[in-house]
Amino acid sequence: MKRFLSSLLVILTIALFLAGCGSSKKSVSVQSGSTDENYRGVIYQDGLQGPESGKPNI
Amino acid sequence: MAYQLSRRSFLKGLAAGGALTALTAYGGLKMAPTAAGVADGYPEAAAGARVFRNVCPRNCYDTCSMLSYVKDGILRKVSGDPANTFTNGRLCVKGYTYTRRVYSPDRLKYPMKQDKRGSGRWQRISWDEALDIIARKILDIKKQYGSTLPVCLNKYSGNFDILHYGIEGMMSSIGYTTRALGTPCWPAGIDAQTYDFGTLWNNDPEDLVNSRYIILWGVNPAWTSVHSMRFLYAAREKGAKLVVIDPVVTQTASKADLYLQIKPATDGALALGMARHILDNGWVDQEYLKANAVGWEEFFAYLRREVTLDWASKVTGIPAGVIADLAREYATTKPAAIWIGYGLQRHTNGGQNVRAIDALAAITGNVGKSGGGALYGHLETWGFNYAAMTMPKPAGALGVKKPDGTMSDRFININNFGAELLNVKDPPVKMLWIACRNPLSQDPEPQVVQKAFENMDLVVTVDHFLTRTAAWSDIVLPATTQFEEYGVNASYWHYWVGINEQAIEPYFEAKNDVQIAMLLSAKLNALEPGSCTYPTGGSLEELVGKEFNQKMLDLLGIADYRELKQGPRKAKLLTAAWSDGKFRTPSGKIEIKSSEAPKYGLPALPVYVPEKQAPPEYPYRFITPHWRHGLHSQFQNIDWMMNVSPEPFVEIHPATAAAKGIRDGDWVKIYNEIGYLTLKARITATTAPEILVAYEAWYKDLDYNLNYTVKAVPSDMGKKATGNRGLAFHDNFVNIEKVR
Ligand code: SF4
């Protein structure tokens, strides 16, 4: 009986460990990225004529 | 719309900021010991530490004058410099982490080369090898394309020290190159004030103590300009009323006498509604307008024709009676100051909203008055020579031909950097030099910037840390901190200018940007004589001396720049901006009807331009302000900050959370058609139901970049003064769902 109980305990521990490993909780973390791999931005205006490079960009 | 806010949730939302409050919550204008105390009044000095003068150069309103305490060559401690009455001997919570930054184990120690961009396989190389690779690439490009236009510089505000403009000088010294032009932070507001007053110029912020009524409009100084809080509190102790207008209940709002939660991007409607009420009640300062302004009659006609309190209430969500009371108090309590924040101009109608607020200050006669003003920022103390930046091109250099036959550099928009980099042709950009910037963290659409990186032959990043951008570079070069270099700094808020002394030896092999330029010049000229004009010798301190002209010396009341070693100096400017009545507009008056704005396709009058609306599929506005433990992507990666702020979160209103089944601490996904972000939810009534708030930051070990969702949509203004329109960062719309 005692042996049965300790075997059960070992199996339970292993099962719980495996369940923990497979849990979705483990897979969530802070993440960020693109939802459209083809997105290349937009050109909002053309013909940019900036000031000469002698002016500080503050 | 009046948002419900329980006292409990309100306090909960603010509790985390307690430490910062403690720093700010002292009353009156108690001054710290004077500069004389530097030599003998500090225990560190008595214990044999040498004390140096430094300036915090990290693109912050406060640009603090600092003291650094060095013993045995080690930076032991930093403090605020009491000689600067704005800094007043104290730093902010970020500033006190500098010793951790300087000696952070994460700091870049040596030049490094990456096997394949993004692989993480870095190899230490010598400075000579790094510069050899870079110089050969520049010369190859010149040979292949006939010019250095394929070399592109992206540099901005990671270090605003004047000598760091030497990076631009380095680019000039190799030939005509491509430059990322503009400013991401505040250009729409700059143009707005330029149209109205001729340029931006705020009253001395120390003069806020003389205000009797202060409106903090879209600004959160408790986090972003903690030293200004002292003057605000002092004004209040003298009887001033403090009003905060913001879509978010900020820590500053928690200190206000009156807080108004406005719908984002509708600030112009509130200003116009107030103006109409002021006009109807005869509170306009006619004498002031007659003497100092043009276009006010047409402005008043517009108000009478199109603006009512009810309209303003509907647009802004603030009850008409509250707007009326605010208008009455503002117009009849003199002097009254408005501090205009940078967040409210990060919209497609942002500049126009700033113009409406400027008009409000003008019609009440609050411009040019001590204790008054429409405070936004200034560049009055930035009249340096920019000697480190102004370098001649090498003989025979070719650039973009201008209509008058002369050559120029090529400019692409810093605020749409990725897309423009992908599109620029004839010749394409093949090499990037990135300094004082972290575009893969801070730019909108970093996914597009990253795509553009793929077209590059060589990406070089100069930084203190292996940032997101540095990690996607081919070569990283270690930069010195301000304690390891000489320099000089001005503020765009207060009137102080300070020298930055070298206090310690550079960390391992770190170098200053100007020193890097000198070494690159030597290498280029060794490989191809005459290919670079940058000087190859001279000390940084000598270069600091060259930045001063007579006008700057006179402004600071000194005969020689070395006098700044005795302490920073406050510029001898008018305390109240524009009190001389000499506006710099074409008419010389406040142009409530602007003669310049229509040239840029903008309305002449500060009429209301409707705010951008959320599309049905992305109903939440995603606002991404500064973080109290960081400044853009800086500081949050320092260990002390990681201890108090280990992970980011998104703030969600309880009503929104309930509708979406989200509980505090749940993982949520924020997304739109271009990007997504997964992070933890924080439920708080400090935001509004239709607004989600997360804070910009770089967490060194987390894949956190909220800019993946931010499109590079331009704001309305910025082109006139800064070369490119600003960014409508806060017109960003997303949806949200619970992940688990
Ligand atoms: S971050 Fe700003 S407030 Fe803090 S120490 Fe630097 S300049 Fe001062």
Side-chain angles (χ1 to χ4, degrees):
Chain A
M1 183 68 182
K2 208 173 164 190
R3 217 169 137 189
F4 170 74
L5 271 177
S6 59
S7 304
L8 194 69
L9 204 67
V10 169
I11 290 166
L12 244 168
T13 310
I14 292 170
L16 275 174
F17 173 75
L18 289 174
C21 286
S23 158
S24 64
K25 287 184 185 186
K26 293 261 175 195
S27 64
V28 183
S29 59
V30 175
Q31 282 169 28
S32 49
S34 183
T35 48
D36 176 2
E37 294 310 321
N38 297 317
Y39 183 67
R40 291 170 63 87
V42 176
I43 300 294
Y44 291 95
Q45 54 189 114
D46 49 34
L48 294 168
Q49 295 296 319
E52 289 298 328
S53 55
K55 189 178 173 190
N57 229 3
I58 297 165
Chain B
M1 184 188 301
Y3 300 122
Q4 293 300 311
L5 188 69
S6 77
R7 180 178 158 76
R8 195 169 165 213
S9 62
F10 178 79
L11 292 175
K12 197 174 156 196
L14 299 169
L20 195 59
T21 312
L23 279 176
T24 62
Y26 51 91
L29 268 177
K30 283 182 222 127
M31 291 295 177
T34 58
V38 171
D40 50 15
Y42 288 84
E44 291 80 2
R50 286 189 66 193
V51 185
F52 295 87
R53 285 205 148 84
N54 294 97
V55 183
C56 180
R58 311 250 97 81
N59 187 3
C60 171
Y61 275 112
D62 293 7
T63 310
C64 287
S65 297
M66 307 178 78
L67 297 175
S68 53
Y69 304 87
V70 177
K71 197 173 173 193
D72 304 324
I74 305 290
L75 178 70
R76 306 280 171 168
K77 185 184 133 172
V78 291
S79 73
D81 187 344
N84 176 329
T85 54
F86 182 82
T87 304
N88 194 38
R90 295 163 172 88
L91 300 174
C92 78
V93 66
K94 301 180 285 283
Y96 285 117
T97 67
Y98 267 121
T99 49
R100 310 301 295 178
R101 182 189 186 99
V102 168
Y103 300 114
S104 167
D106 298 328
R107 252 191 92 180
L108 295 171
K109 298 182 181 72
Y110 315 103
M112 294 198 296
K113 184 171 79 173
Q114 190 166 209
D115 262 2
K116 182 176 171 290
R117 212 175 288 147
S119 68
R121 291 193 300 275
W122 290 96
Q123 183 195 336
R124 177 182 168 184
I125 55 174
S126 66
W127 271 99
D128 190 62
E129 186 182 348
L131 293 164
D132 195 70
I133 294 169
I134 295 164
R136 285 182 192 279
K137 176 49 68 182
I138 292 170
L139 295 175
D140 279 356
I141 283 174
K142 201 159 72 168
K143 206 165 156 195
Q144 190 180 344
Y145 295 96
S147 80
T148 45
L149 285 171
V151 180
C152 177
L153 173 68
N154 191 329
K155 179 249 176 183
Y156 189 51
S157 66
N159 188 327
F160 251 157
D161 184 289
I162 302 303
L163 278 201
H164 285 257
Y165 286 103
I167 304 165
E168 281 92 334
M170 181 185 81
M171 285 288 138
S172 292
S173 72
I174 64 168
Y176 292 99
T177 57
T178 302
R179 310 288 181 92
L181 176 75
T183 133
C185 301
W186 59 333
I190 293 179
D191 267 14
Q193 294 225 315
T194 303
Y195 294 136
D196 294 332
F197 307 123
T199 189
L200 67 166
W201 181 13
N202 59 277
N203 285 20
D204 179 356
E206 297 177 52
D207 174 64
L208 281 166
V209 293
N210 297 316
S211 297
R212 291 195 57 227
Y213 198 86
I214 300 171
I215 301 180
L216 302 174
W217 204 317
V219 66
N220 181 15
W223 284 14
T224 59
S225 179
V226 75
H227 297 82
S228 295
M229 294 301 286
R230 188 164 61 97
F231 302 100
L232 297 171
Y233 285 133
R236 190 156 65 177
E237 282 196 2
K238 287 166 62 184
K241 183 166 179 174
L242 209 57
V243 180
V244 169
I245 300 168
D246 204 301
V248 178
V249 190
T250 61
Q251 189 160 2
T252 307
S254 76
K255 304 292 174 196
D257 299 297
L258 173 68
Y259 165 66
L260 302 177
Q261 191 166 38
I262 190 169
K263 286 188 191 172
T266 67
D267 308 88
L270 177 58
L272 294 170
M274 289 169 71
R276 172 69 199 261
H277 194 64
I278 288 165
L279 178 64
D280 287 352
N281 286 279
W283 296 322
V284 166
D285 189 336
Q286 295 280 354
E287 292 310 308
Y288 183 80
L289 285 180
K290 278 180 200 159
N292 294 288
V294 294
W296 43 279
E297 299 96 333
E298 283 157 272
F299 178 55
F300 290 161
Y302 160 75
L303 291 176
R304 289 195 181 97
R305 201 173 59 241
E306 296 192 30
V307 173
T308 64
L309 278 178
D310 286 340
W311 166 83
S313 172
K314 199 161 162 258
V315 176
T316 61
I318 298 170
V322 174
I323 299 175
D325 285 348
L326 180 67
R328 176 181 47 76
E329 288 181 358
Y330 173 69
T332 59
T333 316
K334 299 279 179 65
I338 302 177
W339 180 351
I340 306 166
Y342 302 144
L344 75 85
Q345 51 92 59
R346 291 178 187 158
H347 295 284
T348 53
N349 62 350
Q352 199 65 13
N353 287 340
V354 173
R355 288 204 64 207
I357 298 171
D358 287 348
L360 191 60
I363 66 167
T364 52
N366 273 307
V367 177
K369 304 276 162 52
S370 171
L375 293 80
Y376 184 70
H378 78 91
L379 297 173
E380 298 295 297
T381 49
W382 290 69
F384 297 95
N385 290 331
Y386 297 97
M389 179 172 105
T390 317
M391 293 291 152
K393 308 285 183 194
L398 294 174
V400 175
K401 231 187 201 137
K402 294 198 293 188
D404 64 2
T406 59
M407 302 272 189
S408 91
D409 290 309
R410 178 172 61 179
F411 298 97
I412 64 173
N413 188 349
I414 199 169
N415 292 328
N416 197 11
F417 187 61
E420 297 222 350
L421 208 52
L422 281 170
N423 277 275
V424 72
K425 289 183 183 68
D426 302 326
V429 170
K430 299 307 288 179
M431 177 181 158
L432 276 177
W433 188 285
I434 297 163
C436 304
R437 277 222 83 199
N438 186 4
L440 282 179
S441 171
Q442 297 309 110
D443 273 17
E445 306 177 351
Q447 57 272 59
V448 182
V449 179
Q450 195 156 340
K451 272 200 176 86
F453 270 39
E454 287 165 18
N455 295 342
M456 299 300 133
D457 291 349
L458 185 68
V459 178
V460 180
T461 296
V462 188
D463 212 306
H464 296 153
F465 299 104
L466 199 64
T467 62
R468 286 180 87 96
T469 305
W472 280 92
S473 304
D474 300 294
I475 289 182
V476 292
L477 303 176
T480 43
T481 65
Q482 73 264 33
F483 307 102
E484 300 150 54
E485 63 190 23
Y486 240 94
V488 57
N489 297 71
S491 160
Y492 49 80
W493 180 235
H494 61 65
Y495 286 6
W496 291 83
V497 171
I499 208 159
N500 182 78
E501 296 179 297
Q502 182 176 352
I504 53 173
E505 288 301 311
Y507 185 69
F508 289 80
E509 293 187 8
K511 293 195 190 300
N512 166 281
D513 284 312
V514 167
Q515 292 168 325
I516 295 172
M518 288 175 173
L519 289 171
L520 182 62
S521 181
K523 179 59 84 176
L524 277 163
N525 284 313
L527 292 169
E528 185 182 303
S531 58
C532 183
T533 66
Y534 212 87
T536 53
S539 76
L540 294 182
E541 186 179 348
E542 274 168 31
L543 285 173
V544 166
K546 287 184 182 164
E547 294 295 354
F548 284 85
N549 47 50
Q550 198 55 48
K551 210 170 156 202
M552 276 301 288
L553 294 172
D554 291 347
L555 191 64
L556 300 177
I558 53 176
D560 187 287
Y561 81 93
R562 291 179 197 89
E563 289 178 46
L564 292 176
K565 291 184 184 182
Q566 306 310 312
R569 290 296 185 111
K570 190 172 185 174
K572 292 191 282 180
L573 289 163
L574 296 170
T575 299
W578 309 119
S579 54
D580 56 359
K582 291 179 184 163
F583 297 96
R584 297 180 208 162
T585 53
S587 65
K589 309 255 183 185
I590 300 174
E591 295 196 354
I592 294 179
K593 182 181 180 187
S594 168
S595 56
E596 289 286 302
K599 295 179 189 165
Y600 292 84
L602 297 160
L605 288 170
V607 298
Y608 190 64
V609 172
E611 71 282 11
K612 203 164 185 227
Q613 300 289 338
E617 63 276 33
Y618 302 114
Y620 302 102
R621 188 183 286 267
F622 187 28
I623 294 187
T624 54
H626 277 202
W627 176 224
R628 74 167 164 253
H629 298 305
L631 215 165
H632 298 304
S633 65
Q634 304 205 67
F635 289 112
Q636 173 55 66
N637 61 309
I638 308 301
D639 57 357
W640 284 356
M641 294 307 195
M642 292 300 294
N643 287 345
V644 292
S645 166
E647 59 181 2
F649 52 85
V650 56
E651 293 173 348
I652 308 172
H653 189 271
T656 308
K660 292 278 183 179
I662 296 166
R663 285 170 308 169
D664 202 68
D666 279 351
W667 286 93
V668 294
K669 182 175 178 181
I670 292 166
Y671 62 95
N672 61 17
E673 69 273 39
I674 67 161
Y676 75 95
L677 183 61
T678 307
L679 74 176
K680 279 189 181 163
R682 183 174 286 183
I683 314 299
T684 169
T686 52
T687 184
E690 72 275 22
I691 301 174
L692 304 173
V693 182
Y695 298 95
E696 54 165 348
W698 170 57
Y699 288 80
K700 67 187 175 80
D701 296 323
L702 298 176
D703 183 13
Y704 177 69
N705 187 351
L706 43 74
N707 284 315
Y708 274 106
T709 66
V710 180
K711 278 181 264 179
V713 176
S715 58
D716 51 351
M717 296 183 194
K719 181 118 178 141
K720 178 177 167 57
T722 71
N724 274 313
R725 289 192 279 165
L727 269 164
F729 269 113
H730 300 327
D731 284 336
N732 183 33
F733 298 100
V734 297
N735 210 332
I736 183 168
E737 65 188 31
K738 183 174 163 173
V739 175
R740 75 162 177 80

